[in-house]
Amino acid sequence: MGSTDYEFRTVWRVAGTPEEVAAVLGDATALPRWWPSVYVSVEPVAAGPEPGPGVPRPVRLHTKGWLPYTLRWTLTVTEPVTSRGFALTAAGDLNGTGRWTFEPDGPETVITYDWRVSAAKPLLRRLSWLLKPGFAANHRWAMARGEESLALELRRRRAAAGIATGATHPVPPPPRPTFAWLRWRG
């Protein structure tokens, strides 16, 4: 593995079914709404052949983490989104593959994300040899916000559907981004 290559395995546990989790994670166009601390913007890619059944169109993403830099990349789902998970590719400032898997565990779902990418953004390529631990910590921060945001989104959807969640208070908004001024940089 080179200095610009990264391998991460993230495990989340959220209240909800694998079907509910797949409905949220499989809709990349909604990421900025429920995971705004990381997803700045999403733009569907209009060109190209129609994807197969259960496979959404590719999307161009503008993302960030805790550190003050952003990434632009295209997410392409490479196999149908199901209640067991799905796979994707990344191309742009990050290049590689990811795989989400969903396993039911009573009233919860255990979610595993395997992410293998290489940094292509010039800043990351030039500084990876020195700052790789910081970039890895940035990824862990982003994924922790994702788990928190997904749990809130599932609660919000259940409340909107009239499903009892045991909560007596309104669902709070998801965590906000750090360095919000980066959201508007070109």
Side-chain angles (χ1 to χ4, degrees), residues 13-38:
R13 177 179 290 272
V14 296
T17 66
E19 292 79 12
E20 291 170 314
V21 168
V24 176
L25 288 176
D27 179 9
T29 61
L31 287 165
R33 183 182 52 72
W34 67 266
W35 195 350
S37 56
V38 171

Side-chain angles (χ1 to χ4, degrees), residues 151-164:
L152 291 168
E153 178 64 11
L154 292 170
R155 281 180 50 201
R156 195 172 294 104
R157 288 181 182 212
R158 287 176 158 218
I163 300 170

Side-chain angles (χ1 to χ4, degrees), residues 9-182:
R9 173 170 269 204
T10 304
V11 179
W12 296 344
R13 177 179 290 272
V14 296
T17 66
E19 292 79 12
E20 291 170 314
V21 168
V24 176
L25 288 176
D27 179 9
T29 61
L31 287 165
R33 183 182 52 72
W34 67 266
W35 195 350
S37 56
V38 171
Y39 289 88
V40 176
S41 67
V42 174
E43 177 189 336
V45 175
E50 189 65 34
V55 177
R57 282 203 163 281
V59 292
R60 286 186 191 91
L61 301 171
H62 185 195
T63 60
K64 63 173 302 314
W66 184 84
L67 294 173
Y69 65 87
T70 65
L71 300 170
R72 293 186 183 274
W73 53 286
T74 299
L75 179 153
T76 302
V77 174
T78 57
E79 61 185 48
V81 177
T82 70
S83 63
R84 297 185 52 85
F86 61 96
L88 60 95
T89 61
D93 287 342
L94 297 173
N95 296 305
T97 61
R99 176 170 295 279
W100 290 101
T101 56
F102 316 136
E103 296 239 354
D105 187 14
E108 298 178 324
T109 297
V110 176
I111 303 161
T112 304
Y113 187 53
D114 288 305
W115 184 227
R116 290 167 179 33
V117 290
S118 179
K121 182 174 182 140
L123 168 77
L124 300 180
R125 290 191 66 75
R126 282 193 300 269
L127 298 177
S128 277
W129 66 274
L130 176 64
L131 299 176
K132 195 168 193 174
F135 295 152
N138 193 52
H139 171 80
R140 288 189 301 275
W141 177 91
M143 296 306 285
R145 299 301 73 72
E147 182 177 21
E148 180 181 359
S149 296
L150 177 60
L152 291 168
E153 178 64 11
L154 292 170
R155 281 180 50 201
R156 195 172 294 104
R157 288 181 182 212
R158 287 176 158 218
I163 300 170
T165 61
T168 58
H169 303 292
V171 179
R176 305 310 304 166
T178 59
F179 303 104
W181 56 271
L182 281 174

